[in-house]
């Protein structure tokens, strides 16, 4: 029997699917789609059951979290990305925050309030393995709290969020041991949200930019001590795997669209009653399904590895390798599925009225989250036994 949260995710995805094409065309924050998710009760899914959630992700049902993301992404990729970012922030609170902080944000989630998680910066640079050395954003000690100054971009969901979790550097920090994760109320003085997102895909994620000018953050809105984010060994990998599950769901959405088109819109060739009766159609649909299910299996394997790290039964490096293998495979598959639509459905499916290209555009855009070749190289070095992949995640 499926858990209630999976049933809720499937019902939610069905409703999101009906809106997904319009959401893409409009390219603005998907208020109606987010309302569907809020009413499903899934915003609080990461919170402990005692606080109104389903205890998904860290310190709970790891695989359950990725099943929900996968299902939601099959319905609407843009909406799912906003939810995934919210889940990531809630996961940080769960991992290194206090019980009082978890209760506060669990209550906010049950009321429909969401997080935006801000890491990326316009001036950011990475190591050759994809890691960050430090951030330009700062948090300076002041009376009863901190003064935050930052400029962030790729601010997914920032237009409709209530809270923003930031990566900043503590006073005088020279490396990532001084990493802090303050939470800012979007209505605080000094916060500016700029809806400048103009990507070819994921168009409704409102992943523009945000600036923070001497924004006061009280002590009780800082999650963990400086450097605490890096210590659990699973938070960064959890975020990476969330993308992998999203890619799998996006590919599933492309497959679902293809099957529906072939059954209900495509004209069969002479000699066949239905388009799906052509032998090559079954062959290519089979190929798509195998690749998607392989991605899903890799995500589950990685989720199990992260749970094993939490239990002390596996090393962070082993889990990181499994996460990167899942993410690299799912990245390539999601883009491929967006192209296969047209190979199977033919020229008429390229009509703008079907908006079928959104699957490829969404996949091509969101899979740029990280440099795939760097992650493949890092994975290969781990498999070869010449590097510890645990140091490459962030």
């Amino acid at each position: 029997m499926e858990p209630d949260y999976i049933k809720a995710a499937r019902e939610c995805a069905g409703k999101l699917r009906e809106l997904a094409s319009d959401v893409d065309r409009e390219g603005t924050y998907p208020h109606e789609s987010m309302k569907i998710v809020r009413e499903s009760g899934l915003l609080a899914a990461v919170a402990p059951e005692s606080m109104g959630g389903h205890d998904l992700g860290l310190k709970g049902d790891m695989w359950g979290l990725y099943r929900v993301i996968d299902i939601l992404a099959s319905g609407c990729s843009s909406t799912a990305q906003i939810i995934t970012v919210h889940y990531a922030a809630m996961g940080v609170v769960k991992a290194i925050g206090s019980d009082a902080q978890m209760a506060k944000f669990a209550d906010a989630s049950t009321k429909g309030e969401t997080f935006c998680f801000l890491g990326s910066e316009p001036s950011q640079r990475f190591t050759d393995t994809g890691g960050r050395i430090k951030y330009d954003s700062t948090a300076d000690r002041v009376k009863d709290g901190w003064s935050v100054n930052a400029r962030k971009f790729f601010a997914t969901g920032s237009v409709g969020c209530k809270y923003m979790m930031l990566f900043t550097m503590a006073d005088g920090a020279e490396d990532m041991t001084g990493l802090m994760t303050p939470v800012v109320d979007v209505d605080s003085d000094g916060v500016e949200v700029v809806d400048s997102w103009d990507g070819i895909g994921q168009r409704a994620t409102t992943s523009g930019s945000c600036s923070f000018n001497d924004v006061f953050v009280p002590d009780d809105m800082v999650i963990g001590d400086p450097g605490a984010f890096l210590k659990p060994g699973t938070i960064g990998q959890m975020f990476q795997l969330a993308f992998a599950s999203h890619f799998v769901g996006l590919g599933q959405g492309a497959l679902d669209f293809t099957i529906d088109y072939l059954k209900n819109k495509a004209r069969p060739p002479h000699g066949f009653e239905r388009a799906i009766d052509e032998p090559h159609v079954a062959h290519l649909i089979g190929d798509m399904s195998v690749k998607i299910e392989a991605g899903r299996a890799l995500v589950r394997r990685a989720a199990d590895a992260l749970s094993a790290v939490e239990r002390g039964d596996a090393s962070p490096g082993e889990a990181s390798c499994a996460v990167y293998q899942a993410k690299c495979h799912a990245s390539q598959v999601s883009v491929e599925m967006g192209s296969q639509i047209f190979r199977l459905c033919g020229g008429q499916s390229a009509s703008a009225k079907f908006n079928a290209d959104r699957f490829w555009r969404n996949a091509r855009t969101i899979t740029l989250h990280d440099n795939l070749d760097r992650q493949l190289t890092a994975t290969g070095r781990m498999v070869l036994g010449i590097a510890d992949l645990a140091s490459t995640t962030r």
Side-chain angles (χ1 to χ4, degrees):
M1 179 180 293
E2 287 188 333
D4 289 342
Y5 60 82
I6 294 297
K7 294 178 182 177
R10 293 193 192 285
E11 182 178 348
C12 196
K15 295 176 181 178
L16 295 179
R17 190 172 295 113
E18 295 177 1
L19 301 174
S21 182
D22 288 339
V23 163
D24 173 75
R25 292 183 195 278
E26 292 168 8
T28 56
Y29 187 85
H31 290 284
E32 188 174 353
S33 296
M34 288 298 295
K35 180 181 177 182
I36 290 169
V37 180
R38 288 186 177 96
E39 291 176 348
S40 74
L42 289 172
L43 281 185
V46 172
E49 292 182 0
S50 61
M51 297 180 185
H54 297 289
D55 205 18
L56 304 187
L58 295 172
K59 299 182 179 180
D61 184 353
M62 193 75 74
W63 171 230
L65 173 67
Y66 300 114
R67 291 176 71 193
V68 169
I69 293 172
D70 178 340
I71 293 167
L72 294 179
S74 73
C76 178
S77 183
S78 285
T79 305
Q81 186 179 349
I82 295 171
I83 301 303
T84 299
V85 168
H86 169 75
Y87 285 164
M90 289 290 287
V92 173
V93 177
K94 191 177 182 182
I96 63 175
S98 66
D99 289 343
Q101 289 172 329
M102 187 73 254
K104 172 183 175 66
F105 295 117
D107 181 64
S109 294
T110 59
K111 294 176 179 176
E113 296 174 339
T114 58
F115 267 107
C116 174
F117 198 155
L118 301 169
S120 300
E121 298 179 345
S123 57
Q124 66 185 352
R125 295 184 68 184
F126 300 98
T127 65
D128 60 354
T129 57
R132 286 184 176 95
I133 299 172
K134 62 180 295 187
Y135 290 87
D136 290 334
S137 302
T138 59
D140 299 317
R141 202 68 170 101
V142 295
K143 180 177 173 57
D144 298 325
W146 302 79
S147 178
V148 171
N149 285 277
R151 186 182 174 205
K152 300 288 188 177
F153 69 167
F154 294 137
T156 297
S158 54
V159 169
C161 73
K162 171 62 175 175
Y163 297 107
M164 296 178 163
M165 180 177 286
L166 286 71
F167 282 153
T168 65
M169 306 304 295
D171 280 341
E174 294 297 327
D175 55 38
M176 293 292 278
T177 59
L179 182 68
M180 290 181 59
T181 48
V183 173
V184 174
D185 188 307
V186 73
D187 296 320
S188 300
D189 291 339
V191 176
E192 181 182 9
V193 177
V194 181
D195 188 8
S196 56
W197 178 239
D198 62 353
I200 62 169
Q202 297 299 103
R203 298 188 62 243
T205 61
T206 60
S207 300
S209 64
C210 298
S211 62
F212 303 82
N213 299 302
D214 294 321
V215 176
F216 175 71
V217 180
D219 284 328
D220 63 2
M221 290 287 276
V222 175
I223 311 302
D225 297 322
F229 179 91
L230 304 177
K231 294 177 182 178
T234 53
I235 300 179
Q237 292 97 324
M238 183 196 76
F239 193 55
Q240 291 282 325
L241 192 57
F243 275 92
S245 61
H246 188 127
F247 302 160
V248 170
L250 210 167
Q252 183 67 58
L255 176 58
D256 292 343
F257 175 93
T258 303
I259 292 172
D260 178 73
Y261 185 94
L262 290 170
K263 286 185 173 181
N264 300 306
K265 299 178 181 68
R267 290 184 298 176
H270 179 72
F272 292 93
E273 183 178 343
R274 302 173 301 176
I276 59 173
D277 292 327
E278 282 194 89
H280 84 276
V281 168
H283 170 79
L284 291 174
I285 290 292
D287 181 65
M288 292 173 75
S289 70
V290 167
K291 290 174 179 175
I292 290 168
E293 289 302 330
R296 193 167 283 129
L298 285 170
V299 171
R300 179 161 196 170
R301 172 174 167 266
D304 290 344
L306 291 178
S307 294
V309 172
E310 288 193 316
R311 296 192 305 269
D313 296 334
S315 71
E318 291 172 316
S320 295
C321 187
V323 168
Y324 272 18
Q325 286 171 334
K327 190 179 179 190
C328 290
H329 174 80
S331 295
Q332 296 174 86
V333 167
S334 64
V335 175
E336 181 184 348
M337 295 304 103
S339 296
Q340 288 291 75
I341 287 175
F342 303 103
R343 181 177 177 181
L344 273 157
C345 299
Q348 290 192 11
S349 65
S351 170
K353 67 181 179 181
F354 297 119
N355 198 22
D357 61 305
R358 73 181 186 275
F359 294 100
W360 183 89
R361 288 187 287 103
N362 286 340
R364 183 63 284 174
T365 299
I366 194 172
T367 56
L368 295 173
H369 171 260
D370 285 297
N371 186 302
L372 180 63
D373 291 314
R374 286 197 189 114
Q375 293 193 339
L376 285 168
T377 300
T379 303
R381 288 174 61 81
M382 179 67 176
V383 172
L384 287 166
I386 58 177
D388 180 4
L389 194 58
S391 64
T392 69
T393 54
R394 60 190 192 283

